[in-house]
Amino acid sequence: MSRPDKRSAESITRKGTAKPLSRNPIKGREPALLIEMLRRMLLIRAFDSKLPILSTQNLIRGSSHACLGQEATAVGACLALDAADYVTSTHRGHGHTIAKGAEVKHMMAELLGRADGCCRGKGGSMHIADFSVGMLGANGIVGGGIGIATGAALSSALRASSQVALCFFGEGAVNQGIFLECGNMAALWKLPLILFCENNQFSMSTRPDEVTSTHDLSLRSEGLGIPGSVVDGMDVLAVFDATSAAAKRARNGDGPSFIEASCYRFEGHFLGDGLKYRSSDECGDWRRRDPIPVWRDRLIQNQILTSEQAGEIDQRAEAEVTNAIEFAKTSPLPDRAAVWDHLYA
């Protein structure tokens, strides 16, 4: 059996469905918001770039999965939400948690299994959560966050709240039964739910073309009566606009939306992944579309900030993560007597 052709960095969306970066308007936008997009993407990059070092030092407790390259999906989506809105994540959830506003020092303490972690050291990387910012948790189960987000959306509807629930998941999750079950219920009851698919081109080492019957994943949602769209996931502003439209639709009582953000993870599925399933040309094509330097250069070209100011933002992000590591190292390990605390039945 011949292997299906891969989707290149230049052909990641259906023709006409996603605007190229150069055409996505930036003039007239709030400068503070545009700069905040850069700041949060740099903070995510700084945070996840430290994972290999911490792993080598045997400081990280459990598995961890970096989202390097996917910063635009996390930041664009979360900045389009209100502070009170809900988010659920995947096993690759550091970026989503930071983008939703969590403090990196408590996140780092969680990765190191310390008592000052946002889950008191009990969740670790793959189950990190921070209810104070509406982050209902990362999840080690493929598609596991879909049911949680649908429940949060149902809660919002029952309380007549304006809150929206956004669920991040990978392209592999659209083949899970929970996607169909929850999507059907959300469409039927018009729940304020955003199904946000980060299509980073790989389910571990398997391309979606090999296990999914259609290139256009939004067709799955449209079969449930949920409008779907495809967006360039390397363009933070395009992601922001698509999510803003979906959130507005949800708050207006028009029900759920599906967004497929085509993006690329620069590193392996996990620390130690040899990446033998990719070519250097493919990786190079996508790295040339790195969302952070592309966005930084665009802000500079549009005189939103100077190169010096951009450098200062980068330095502050690095310093914040460095301080977070020191905070985590000095945080105590959890007391064994507290193992049953904060559990729910």
Side-chain angles (χ1 to χ4, degrees):
M1 181 182 293
S2 61
R3 183 187 181 114
D5 292 336
K6 67 180 178 65
R7 300 213 292 187
S8 70
E10 298 302 322
S11 61
I12 56 174
T13 60
R14 284 182 295 159
K15 185 176 180 181
T17 58
K19 295 180 180 179
L21 183 63
S22 60
R23 295 183 186 175
N24 205 19
I26 191 171
K27 291 189 189 244
R29 308 270 186 159
E30 176 58 47
L33 173 65
L34 304 179
I35 294 171
E36 182 63 14
M37 289 176 175
L38 178 63
R39 188 192 75 83
R40 293 200 192 190
M41 285 197 291
L42 285 169
L43 189 58
I44 294 168
R45 179 68 57 91
F47 188 94
D48 268 4
S49 293
K50 300 297 186 293
L51 298 185
I53 299 172
L54 296 171
S55 179
T56 300
Q57 295 173 343
N58 200 30
L59 289 173
I60 293 180
R61 304 299 188 218
S63 299
S64 61
H65 304 77
C67 68
L68 304 177
Q70 297 180 215
E71 294 89 351
T73 58
V75 172
C78 287
L79 278 179
L81 301 176
D82 291 344
D85 290 336
Y86 301 116
V87 165
T88 63
S89 182
T90 67
H91 55 281
R92 201 179 307 281
H94 307 153
H96 305 144
T97 310
I98 292 172
K100 196 60 173 71
E103 290 192 41
V104 293
K105 66 179 184 179
H106 295 298
M107 290 179 59
M108 191 63 75
E110 187 61 34
L111 264 64
L112 270 60
R114 304 305 176 104
D116 290 320
C118 48
C119 298
R120 297 176 177 82
K122 299 178 181 180
S125 169
M126 284 202 295
H127 300 94
I128 197 164
D130 189 341
F131 290 1
S132 69
V133 297
M135 171 56 173
L136 301 184
N139 206 301
I141 299 172
V142 175
I146 298 176
I148 299 171
T150 304
L154 175 59
S155 166
S156 178
L158 291 174
R159 291 181 288 108
S161 165
S162 63
Q163 291 166 289
V164 169
L166 183 147
C167 176
F168 288 103
F169 52 90
E171 72 283 350
V174 300
N175 292 327
Q176 296 288 90
I178 195 169
F179 171 78
L180 299 174
E181 294 160 353
C182 289
N184 180 68
M185 186 175 79
L188 181 65
W189 292 347
K190 293 189 179 301
L191 300 183
L193 177 68
I194 302 173
L195 296 166
F196 194 102
C197 175
E198 292 178 301
N199 184 351
N200 65 15
Q201 317 306 313
F202 295 98
S203 297
M204 269 185 94
S205 60
T206 303
R207 298 183 187 277
D209 294 342
E210 297 176 304
V211 294
T212 306
S213 59
T214 176
H215 287 285
D216 186 352
L217 302 181
S218 67
L219 293 176
R220 295 284 181 90
S221 72
E222 289 173 2
L224 298 170
I226 300 174
S229 61
V230 183
V231 67
D232 183 355
M234 307 298 273
D235 177 354
V236 65
L237 193 55
V239 174
F240 175 84
D241 286 345
T243 309
S244 296
K248 181 179 180 180
R249 169 183 161 80
R251 292 189 218 283
N252 287 341
D254 295 326
S257 301
F258 175 93
I259 299 171
E260 177 190 352
S262 295
C263 55
Y264 199 79
R265 56 173 165 82
F266 291 160
E267 302 299 330
H269 174 68
F270 56 90
L271 295 178
D273 183 346
L275 295 176
K276 294 181 180 179
Y277 48 89
R278 306 190 199 182
S279 70
S280 58
D281 287 344
E282 177 184 345
C283 292
D285 286 345
W286 282 95
R287 282 187 179 275
R288 280 188 285 274
R289 301 186 62 237
D290 188 327
I292 295 178
V294 169
W295 184 244
R296 178 196 62 215
D297 292 347
R298 193 162 177 218
L299 293 181
I300 294 171
Q301 290 166 6
N302 283 271
Q303 300 181 330
I304 304 296
L305 47 66
T306 66
S307 58
E308 291 77 13
Q309 290 171 326
E312 290 172 0
I313 295 172
D314 193 4
Q315 290 173 6
R316 287 198 295 270
E318 289 287 341
E320 187 171 348
V321 173
T322 298
N323 292 337
I325 293 173
E326 293 307 311
F327 172 84
K329 286 181 178 179
T330 57
S331 175
L333 292 169
D335 187 345
R336 291 186 179 185
V339 67
W340 301 114
D341 292 349
H342 308 106
L343 297 180
Y344 298 84

